Amino acid sequence: MDKGKIMKDVITAKDVKLSYGSYEALHGISLNFHEDELTALIGPSGCGKSTFLRCLNRMNDDIENINITGKILFEGQDIYSPKMDLVELRKEVGMVFQQPTPFPFSVYDNIAYGLRIAGIKDKELIDQRVEESLKQAAIWRETKDNLKRNAQAFSGGQQQRICIARALAIRPKVVLLDEPTSALDPISSSEVEETLMDLKRKYTFIMVTHNLQQAGRISDQTAFLMNGNLIEAGKTEEMFIAPKKQITSDYLNGRFG
Ligand SMILES: Nc1ncnc2c1ncn2[C@@H]1O[C@H](COP(=O)(O)OP(=O)(O)OP(=O)(O)O)[C@@H](O)[C@H]1O
Ligand SMILES: [Mg+2]
């Protein structure tokens, strides 16, 4: 974070509770996400990281018998308000999944897809955005001579960077990433990490990761969840050096997974 820059919260979650049927998976999570920072969500398997992440752009909406209470504000607007336009929200808050999920068509069309849906028809503008997004996601060099090639014919790491480019093409404010490197080999994983490092002053990233070294390397803020509760959140360097709670320290030191 640049010195002198005023920290702005892009997303504010207040007392978010979520139940799948009668099972309460989130017990009241309050957390703020700062503009142009990368927040890592960490915690043991099943603690609610993905559930919470999906609340932030209403990806849970279609699950049956789900009940969400509390408030989530995106730039001050209540995203669960009936007035919220879901298409607009997902344009502002994009998502990248654990398994690279390019569509089974060309690299070019993968990136252009969201732009076309957004009503952009100008071919020159689309060309320009495709190139810009692929460059931002550090995958231009490997795709520029193969834009017509099926995106699924690239390596896993390349596919994941194509998915990041696809998410960036519509110029979102926030990108949610659920374990974006866990399905990748170490080299691809570090390439995706570097991409996120390069971009995190331009976008607000919220990333679930099981890789604590990765969280330590690239996040500005870390939030530690356990059993559906937020145990502790704060500046990554402070939390990794001096966590406030013993249980956080135990987790960070690998005493339990
Ligand atoms: N669609 C669903 N229906 C019912 N229960 C669910 C559903 N999705 C998740 N859960 C439950 O909610 C809890 C939190 O799950 P979630 O997937 O958010 O955990 P997580 O922290 O992302 O775990 P992991 O690190 O393994 O991905 C778990 O107990 C899980 O079984
Ligand atoms: Mg998960």
Side-chain angles (χ1 to χ4, degrees):
M1 177 110 207
D2 297 343
K3 273 196 181 134
K5 189 172 169 187
I6 295 164
M7 199 153 68
K8 185 181 144 199
D9 292 334
V10 179
I11 294 185
T12 303
K14 286 184 202 161
D15 197 24
V16 174
K17 293 184 182 160
L18 180 147
S19 301
Y20 295 111
S22 60
Y23 173 71
E24 192 175 89
L26 302 177
H27 308 305
I29 297 199
S30 299
L31 185 59
N32 295 345
F33 299 95
H34 315 135
E35 182 169 48
D36 300 342
E37 282 197 3
L38 191 152
T39 298
L41 300 177
I42 61 168
S45 185
C47 70
K49 302 177 298 295
S50 299
T51 298
F52 179 61
L53 190 76
R54 289 195 302 259
C55 289
L56 304 177
N57 70 348
R58 295 186 48 179
M59 291 291 282
N60 289 320
D61 275 24
D62 301 332
I63 299 174
E64 265 180 58
N65 296 321
I66 204 157
N67 186 38
I68 304 171
T69 64
K71 259 205 168 54
I72 297 175
L73 306 178
F74 169 69
E75 297 197 312
Q77 276 181 291
D78 179 357
I79 69 165
Y80 283 90
S81 144
K83 278 184 271 170
M84 191 74 214
D85 178 340
L86 260 192
V87 176
E88 274 307 307
L89 174 67
R90 301 222 176 114
K91 242 191 250 171
E92 297 282 2
V93 187
M95 184 137 192
V96 173
F97 301 91
Q98 180 173 12
Q99 292 293 335
T101 51
F103 304 127
F105 32 74
S106 72
V107 172
Y108 183 95
D109 287 336
N110 263 273
I111 314 301
Y113 180 83
L115 299 170
R116 292 181 179 133
I117 293 218
I120 298 175
K121 293 198 183 82
D122 181 348
K123 166 95 168 61
E124 226 169 274
L125 178 61
I126 295 179
D127 284 354
Q128 196 188 318
R129 286 278 196 96
V130 167
E131 179 172 340
E132 177 193 290
S133 311
L134 289 167
K135 279 183 175 159
Q136 282 195 331
I139 184 70
W140 174 245
R141 196 176 42 80
E142 291 143 280
T143 56
K144 67 179 177 1
D145 299 322
N146 295 304
L147 290 175
K148 292 201 172 127
R149 189 166 153 207
N150 192 313
Q152 293 183 342
F154 286 81
S155 78
Q158 291 172 327
Q159 289 186 33
Q160 193 63 311
R161 279 176 287 145
I162 291 170
C163 291
I164 292 172
R166 184 177 64 192
L168 299 180
I170 49 172
R171 298 193 169 155
K173 182 93 201 166
V174 180
V175 182
L176 310 176
L177 308 121
D178 197 345
E179 300 190 50
T181 64
S182 67
L184 307 180
D185 66 88
I187 290 170
S188 306
S189 175
S190 69
E191 280 165 356
V192 170
E193 235 181 68
E194 275 167 35
T195 306
L196 296 175
M197 281 292 270
D198 288 344
L199 290 173
K200 72 178 187 172
R201 293 295 168 254
K202 292 200 190 92
Y203 297 90
T204 303
F205 288 117
I206 305 172
M207 178 181 75
V208 170
T209 183
H210 274 283
N211 183 332
L212 298 178
Q213 281 82 14
Q214 178 176 66
R217 276 193 299 267
I218 70 173
S219 71
D220 303 287
Q221 174 178 242
T222 298
F224 172 48
L225 277 72
M226 227 177 83
N227 301 327
N229 293 302
L230 176 70
I231 304 298
E232 183 169 344
K235 275 205 164 102
T236 298
E237 50 194 40
E238 286 169 15
M239 192 193 285
F240 276 65
I241 292 168
K244 292 189 190 78
K245 301 212 168 135
Q246 183 59 42
I247 194 149
T248 312
S249 166
D250 290 347
Y251 183 72
L252 293 175
N253 288 304
R255 292 200 192 99
F256 66 95

